Amino acid sequence: MSGQSLTDRITAAQHSVTGSAVSKTVCKATTHEIMGPKKKHLDYLIQCTNEMNVNIPQLADSLFERTTNSSWVVVFKSLITTHHLMVYGNERFIQYLASRNTLFNLSNFLDKSGLQGYDMSTFIRRYSRYLNEKAVSYRQVAFDFTKVKRGADGVMRTMNTEKLLKTVPIIQNQMDALLDFNVNSNELTNGVINAAFMLLFKDAIRLFAAYNEGIINLLEKYFDMKKNQCKEGLDIYKKFLTRMTRISEFLKVAEQVGIDRGDIPDLSQAPSSLLDALEQHLASLEGKKIKDSTAASRATTLSNAVSSLASTGLSLTKVDEREKQAALEEEQARLKALKEQRLKELAKKPHTSLTTAASPVSTSAGGIMTAPAIDIFSTPSSSNSTSKLPNDLLDLQQPTFHPSVHPMSTASQVASTWGGFTPSPVAQPHPSAGLNVDFESVFGNKSTNVIVDSGGGLLKPTVASQNQNLPVAKLPPSKLVSDDLDSSLANLVGNLGIGNGTTKNDVNWSQPGEKKLTGGSNWQPKVAPTTAWNAATMIQFM
């Protein structure tokens, strides 16, 4: 039964397919190998209990399912894993176990596969009973005795009398379940039961430390209690003496199996005279005849007993502190090993870190421009600004404007319908090689002519030519006034005779090449291909 079985590999593969990493790790921690659960698997499950997105009930159910296996190895390792999570995992895990009505129902478990199975089945039944009692104790007091604060201001030392008399018996029951494991040194023959014993050993030290502090608090309050309370307190103290003897035997077994002597506390028993003093005080409350004892002798006896128990508690605390320090050093050593391993891996790889000279900004292969940045706040020199003013500011590469001139056929299509018109296509301007800047026209020395394009009625400014710079009085009657659009229209209307009772049918077309139409709504004068005439014609129909 050494090594992982075929069943273990198939089960782990099934959980890998379903994507359940928690269930897979539970199967890895509870294989058929006769050894304790591996630390890496336990650490992973502990981390899972600290993650809020991990389903704690699902994790617990996975462990409970593994305890239904017929192999004692799988069942024992499932109990060990559960115990490990109860001690070192997040408190949410033990809270969930305490909320369940039943945990492990292994009181009748028996592995008949071999002689070792018979022997280990006995310890499985005892171990499961202790884990059940640990969960029940948490349910009753809402905290774990192995994790409570200890010392003069600890939980058990500051508890009132009524609560103390109810809490100490709960510790006693849990201590009894732990000591009932009752293993000898010659029975610790494999890694599975050894792992369980180590967890029980650590629980025993911490649990007895809380138990011891509860007894100290009880003794300090004993002589101020009522008769019924004193009776309960005396019974608790007698049971405590019995369990102190049993815990001493348990620690001897731990010493025999190789646990360091410094990790085993020294238990100092209270003097026997204390028990006599407690019994006499109870008898006096019941009205029985007792030996005469002074208050001073009684106080001295109590003080000696409390000192002995306090020294025991101090020894237990030192052992616990040593364990914590050892765990811290182990974690630091592991982190150091991981750091060294990482440094070795980086040393084997080629140096690929980018320097300033070979940064992506300066690499031409990356296609990133490396031109120096332009300082937009810098002040240019006066010579450069003066010489480059026309070129930088006014040398804009844009097309010049030309008047649209259409033939007679195009003008005929403009007024094809009475209710509207279809704009004729405008000739595309030709881009010039460069813009000839005329400063006199820009700054008002020359007049500009504004015309109406027949293609859509858009105003387009153009630079006036030399023949357009004549006075208005010298222009021919048939020409438009270039400086005023309203005057041009009025002059045109006056020449045509429109507006004095003349209609379209009565117009006398006397110019050569013109044709008079005497009827119908569609009339088309033969218009000379000039821009001004086209504009006037279009405005008449608008």
Side-chain angles (χ1 to χ4, degrees):
M1 295 179 63
S2 61
Q4 294 185 13
S5 64
L6 181 61
T7 305
D8 296 332
R9 298 180 185 276
I10 293 176
T11 306
Q14 290 176 348
H15 290 297
S16 298
V17 172
T18 58
S20 178
V22 175
S23 300
K24 178 182 177 181
T25 307
V26 169
C27 293
K28 290 286 187 179
T30 57
T31 58
H32 288 79
E33 297 176 279
I34 305 181
M35 58 180 295
K38 294 182 180 179
K39 190 176 184 304
K40 63 179 181 179
H41 298 145
L42 295 177
D43 291 343
Y44 180 82
L45 294 176
I46 290 174
Q47 183 64 29
C48 288
T49 61
N50 294 320
E51 298 293 336
M52 297 305 297
N53 59 345
V54 173
N55 192 344
I56 297 297
Q58 181 182 358
L59 172 59
D61 291 341
S62 299
L63 292 170
F64 294 151
E65 182 181 358
R66 297 296 287 174
T67 58
T68 60
N69 198 286
S70 59
S71 173
W72 70 269
V73 182
V74 176
V75 176
F76 215 153
K77 293 174 74 172
S78 301
L79 297 177
I80 294 171
T81 304
T82 304
H83 189 188
H84 196 88
L85 296 180
M86 294 173 74
V87 175
Y88 300 105
N90 193 283
E91 195 172 2
R92 295 189 305 148
F93 185 78
I94 191 173
Q95 285 176 353
Y96 172 74
L97 297 183
S99 66
R100 292 176 61 101
N101 294 328
T102 58
L103 291 182
F104 301 106
N105 187 15
L106 299 173
S107 57
N108 298 322
F109 177 79
L110 182 62
D111 186 355
K112 301 179 181 180
S113 60
L115 181 61
Q116 193 177 24
Y118 277 96
D119 295 337
M120 294 296 108
S121 297
T122 303
F123 296 107
I124 287 175
R125 293 192 293 267
R126 297 173 182 175
Y127 193 28
S128 63
R129 178 177 175 269
Y130 168 71
L131 295 180
N132 290 339
E133 190 65 33
K134 186 178 178 71
V136 170
S137 298
Y138 189 93
R139 183 192 309 167
Q140 292 175 337
V141 297
F143 60 84
D144 189 355
F145 289 110
T146 63
K147 298 180 181 180
V148 294
K149 182 181 179 181
R150 297 196 293 267
D153 56 345
V155 175
M156 300 303 298
R157 292 289 294 273
T158 58
M159 198 173 290
N160 58 40
T161 304
E162 291 78 8
K163 190 173 182 180
L164 181 65
L165 294 176
K166 295 179 180 179
T167 304
V168 174
I170 298 175
I171 302 180
Q172 289 178 347
N173 295 334
Q174 187 174 344
M175 180 63 69
D176 290 341
L178 189 149
L179 296 175
D180 286 344
F181 192 73
N182 195 21
V183 64
N184 298 323
S185 58
N186 56 356
E187 292 174 332
L188 301 174
T189 56
N190 58 75
V192 179
I193 192 173
N194 289 342
F197 180 78
M198 288 301 301
L199 289 173
L200 291 173
F201 169 74
K202 295 176 181 179
D203 267 15
I205 293 177
R206 297 168 183 170
L207 186 62
F208 189 77
Y211 191 15
N212 184 72
E213 290 191 346
I215 296 299
I216 293 176
N217 190 13
L218 178 67
L219 294 176
E220 292 175 346
K221 292 180 170 62
Y222 182 81
F223 294 100
D224 298 329
M225 293 179 182
K226 300 177 182 179
K227 182 176 66 174
N228 293 334
Q229 293 176 344
C230 287
K231 187 175 181 179
E232 292 180 9
L234 181 60
D235 183 64
I236 289 173
Y237 181 72
K238 289 180 179 179
K239 291 180 179 179
F240 172 74
L241 296 177
T242 304
R243 284 155 182 79
M244 180 174 282
T245 303
R246 295 184 63 185
I247 194 67
S248 299
E249 295 175 356
F250 184 86
L251 296 178
K252 288 180 181 179
V253 175
E255 186 177 358
Q256 291 174 1
V257 297
I259 295 179
D260 187 40
R261 186 68 182 84
D263 295 335
I264 300 176
D266 296 327
L267 303 181
S268 300
Q269 293 186 354
S272 58
S273 59
L274 176 63
L275 182 60
D276 295 337
L278 297 178
E279 291 176 346
Q280 290 178 6
H281 178 71
L282 178 61
S284 65
L285 293 177
E286 292 176 348
K288 297 179 181 179
K289 293 182 179 180
I290 59 173
K291 298 179 181 180
D292 295 335
S293 59
T294 61
S297 62
R298 187 174 59 187
T300 303
T301 303
L302 179 61
S303 177
N304 294 334
V306 170
S307 299
S308 300
L309 296 178
S311 62
T312 300
L314 183 60
S315 178
L316 293 170
T317 303
K318 288 182 179 179
V319 172
D320 197 13
E321 292 295 331
R322 287 189 59 182
E323 180 186 353
K324 292 180 180 179
Q325 185 65 25
L328 182 60
E329 293 176 355
E330 181 182 357
E331 187 68 20
Q332 290 178 351
R334 190 170 70 171
L335 291 176
K336 184 178 179 180
L338 291 175
K339 183 178 179 180
E340 293 177 354
Q341 182 180 0
R342 180 60 178 169
L343 292 176
K344 291 180 180 179
E345 292 177 356
L346 293 176
K348 292 180 180 179
K349 294 181 179 179
H351 184 68
T352 57
S353 61
L354 295 173
T355 61
T356 307
S359 62
V361 178
S362 60
T363 305
S364 58
I368 301 177
M369 297 181 63
T370 59
I374 300 175
D375 188 2
I376 61 175
F377 299 102
S378 62
T379 305
S381 60
S382 58
S383 60
N384 294 336
S385 61
T386 305
S387 60
K388 295 183 178 181
L389 179 59
N391 296 330
D392 296 340
L393 183 60
L394 300 174
D395 286 354
L396 303 177
Q397 298 297 326
Q398 59 183 2
T400 57
F401 295 95
H402 300 277
S404 300
V405 180
H406 304 280
M408 186 177 298
S409 61
T410 305
S412 302
Q413 296 175 1
V414 173
S416 59
T417 57
W418 178 259
F421 64 91
T422 303
S424 60
V426 182
Q428 296 294 332
H430 300 282
S432 60
L435 177 63
N436 297 325
V437 181
D438 192 348
F439 288 98
E440 296 180 356
S441 175
V442 172
F443 294 104
N445 294 332
K446 291 185 179 182
S447 61
T448 57
N449 184 20
V450 181
I451 63 174
V452 180
D453 188 7
S454 61
L458 299 178
L459 299 178
K460 297 184 180 180
T462 58
V463 181
S465 59
Q466 296 295 331
N467 57 357
Q468 291 176 339
N469 200 16
L470 299 175
V472 179
K474 296 181 180 181
L475 289 176
S478 61
K479 300 295 182 180
L480 294 178
V481 181
S482 61
D483 293 339
D484 192 352
L485 180 61
D486 294 335
S487 301
S488 301
L489 294 177
N491 187 16
L492 178 61
V493 172
N495 294 333
L496 295 177
I498 300 176
N500 298 324
T502 308
T503 62
K504 294 179 292 186
N505 297 331
D506 298 332
V507 175
N508 184 14
W509 306 95
S510 59
Q511 296 182 3
E514 296 178 353
K515 181 179 180 181
K516 179 178 181 182
L517 301 179
T518 58
S521 60
N522 295 327
W523 55 285
Q524 298 179 356
K526 293 184 178 180
V527 186
T530 61
T531 304
W533 187 265
N534 290 338
T537 306
M538 291 180 63
I539 291 174
Q540 183 179 357
F541 295 110
M542 290 178 64

